[in-house]
């Protein structure tokens, strides 16, 4: 069974915003490896930009996500939208 993410092509401006109760955090997909085991994500958090490789996990429905922050908030890859 193939993953939805492996079939989906992420544009260079695939983006997701999360409000953490204080500020918005922006995630941009740089790359998802071919086996969908990790994603290279640029994170803009309170004016600071970091680029990290996040391991991908599957939930019980087969949706791919990575965990972010000290509370391990799940960020689902299918929630990212292409920005024009």
């Amino acid at each position: 069974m193939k993953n939805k993410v492996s079939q989906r092509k992420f544009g260079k401006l695939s983006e997701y915003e999360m409000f953490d109760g204080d500020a918005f955090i922006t995630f941009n997909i740089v790359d998802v490896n071919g086996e969908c085991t990790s994603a290279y994500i640029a994170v803009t958090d309170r004016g600071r930009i970091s680029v990290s490789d996040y391991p991908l996990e599957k939930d019980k429905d087969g949706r791919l996500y990575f965990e972010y922050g000290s509370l391990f908030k799940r960020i689902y890859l299918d929630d990212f939208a292409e920005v024009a």
Side-chain angles (χ1 to χ4, degrees):
M1 180 171 111
K2 288 204 170 197
N3 253 323
K4 285 192 277 184
V5 174
S6 64
Q7 296 171 353
R8 178 179 170 190
K9 299 289 185 202
F10 289 101
K12 292 207 184 267
L13 295 176
S14 291
E15 182 175 280
Y16 175 75
E17 283 190 338
M18 175 187 81
F19 187 70
D20 70 354
D22 189 38
F24 281 98
I25 301 170
T26 304
F27 301 89
N28 293 94
I29 295 177
V30 176
D31 190 30
V32 176
N33 73 349
E35 295 84 34
C36 292
T37 58
S38 67
Y40 203 50
I41 307 288
V43 181
T44 306
D45 187 354
R46 291 169 181 79
R48 295 182 185 196
I49 300 172
S50 62
V51 181
S52 298
D53 195 27
Y54 290 92
L56 295 176
E57 303 289 333
K58 283 186 188 178
D59 68 2
K60 63 181 178 179
D61 298 324
R63 294 175 62 200
L64 290 172
Y65 68 91
F66 63 93
E67 295 176 336
Y68 179 77
S70 60
L71 298 176
F72 301 105
K73 168 80 172 142
R74 288 183 178 185
I75 309 296
Y76 287 91
L77 292 189
D78 55 1
D79 289 339
F80 281 74
E82 198 165 318
V83 178

